[in-house]
Amino acid sequence: AQTVTQSQPEMSVQEAETVTLSCTYDTSENNYYLFWYKQPPSRQMILVIRQEAYKQQNATENRFSVNFQKAAKSFSLKISDSQLGDTAMYFCAFMKHGVFTSGTYKYIFGTGTRLKVLA
Amino acid sequence: DAEITQSPRHKITETGRQVTLACHQTWNHNNMFWYRQDLGHGLRLIHYSYGVHDTNKGEVSDGYSVSRSNTEDLPLTLESAASSQTSVYFCASSEWGQGYEQYFGPGTRLTVT
């Protein structure tokens, strides 16, 4: 069974600095997706960034980038130039590719990292 | 703008009562999901649906049921509420071929006393 581990329950960073959130996963699948979701204090969760396992290039979305190490099963999120609005709970998630055709849902979340950006 | 809404946002109920949480999406998505969020557990899947009249059990489905009679709605029913079901419940939707992103509702905080 797939598992997702976020070993940092809480982190803090000074405004304008860079922070990296860790995520590791365990799977025997070769084709899958990885995601980082952000849950601000208002609670509505939104997608930050997505990585397809078959792509070698690390995904980037503005100030957010990932370091995807497939062999090590590691998927860390780097936030550059941190802003107060980045304060949130961040969840790493795994999804088996082709899940809808297989009929078995495999969207697994980690336990989250609470990030606080300090002014 | 398309959205996904949940009601009520807060609910207090007593042990043994039946409770239904509503989820309504205007994305016209085929896929809908219910999660519960608990400290130390992240989000865990309760039930999901890939379309009208389709429902499937997730990893923590005991004590919960869903039905899908149209595209827009997936209500979650707690047949006989238990204190262990005190949690925050999130509904989400997604669509095929759109990168598998899930769109989440604002959540319902349920307290069972």
Side-chain angles (χ1 to χ4, degrees):
Chain A
Q2 286 82 6
T3 60
V4 176
T5 301
Q6 293 180 250
S7 59
Q8 305 152 313
E10 293 185 357
M11 297 186 72
S12 62
V13 62
Q14 291 291 331
E15 199 176 6
E17 294 189 347
T18 295
V19 64
T20 299
L21 281 58
S22 300
C23 174
T24 59
Y25 58 95
D26 187 25
T27 184
S28 58
E29 303 290 338
N30 192 47
N31 297 319
Y32 50 88
Y33 284 76
L34 294 163
F35 307 84
W36 279 98
Y37 278 85
K38 171 185 178 181
Q39 187 181 38
S42 64
R43 297 192 295 168
Q44 197 135 7
M45 197 163 328
I46 56 173
L47 178 68
V48 174
I49 199 164
R50 167 180 44 226
Q51 176 78 42
E52 294 147 356
Y54 69 88
K55 290 187 175 179
Q56 297 291 329
Q57 187 172 3
N58 289 326
T60 299
E61 289 286 344
N62 301 313
R63 299 182 295 106
F64 298 88
S65 61
V66 298
N67 182 5
F68 173 49
Q69 302 288 329
K70 190 172 184 180
K73 297 180 182 175
S74 171
F75 182 61
S76 60
L77 174 69
K78 185 171 81 171
I79 305 174
S80 303
D81 186 25
S82 296
Q83 300 175 359
L84 296 178
D86 296 333
T87 293
M89 180 75 86
Y90 288 82
F91 290 97
C92 179
F94 168 99
M95 196 195 78
K96 174 184 171 183
H97 185 249
V99 61
F100 295 130
T101 56
S102 72
T104 302
Y105 192 71
K106 292 290 185 183
Y107 210 118
I108 308 297
F109 282 92
T111 53
T113 295
R114 187 177 302 279
L115 176 67
K116 187 171 185 179
V117 179
L118 307 171
Chain B
D1 288 346
E3 61 178 355
I4 178 165
T5 57
Q6 294 181 234
S7 63
R9 296 292 310 276
H10 301 271
K11 174 78 175 177
I12 300 174
T13 191
E14 295 178 346
T15 300
R17 290 191 178 268
Q18 184 181 81
V19 177
T20 297
L21 309 182
C23 174
H24 179 81
Q25 53 101 359
T26 58
W27 291 98
N28 199 33
H29 286 164
N30 279 296
N31 311 313
M32 295 184 72
F33 312 90
W34 273 105
Y35 296 91
R36 60 178 289 174
Q37 183 179 17
D38 304 288
L39 201 61
H41 289 279
L43 280 84
R44 293 181 290 174
L45 183 65
I46 305 172
H47 282 286
Y48 59 103
S49 168
Y50 290 157
V52 177
H53 303 310
D54 176 77
T55 61
N56 305 279
K57 293 182 178 180
E59 61 177 309
V60 291
S61 60
D62 286 349
Y64 303 94
S65 64
V66 294
S67 63
R68 186 95 178 266
S69 58
N70 58 50
T71 299
E72 296 79 19
D73 300 289
L74 186 70
L76 177 71
T77 297
L78 286 68
E79 302 294 342
S80 177
S83 57
S84 60
Q85 295 177 308
T86 292
S87 185
V88 181
Y89 291 86
F90 288 95
C91 180
S93 71
S94 71
E95 188 49 79
W96 309 98
Q98 294 183 5
Y100 301 110
E101 175 179 358
Q102 293 196 3
Y103 296 81
F104 284 81
T108 294
R109 182 175 296 277
L110 176 68
T111 302
V112 182
T113 62

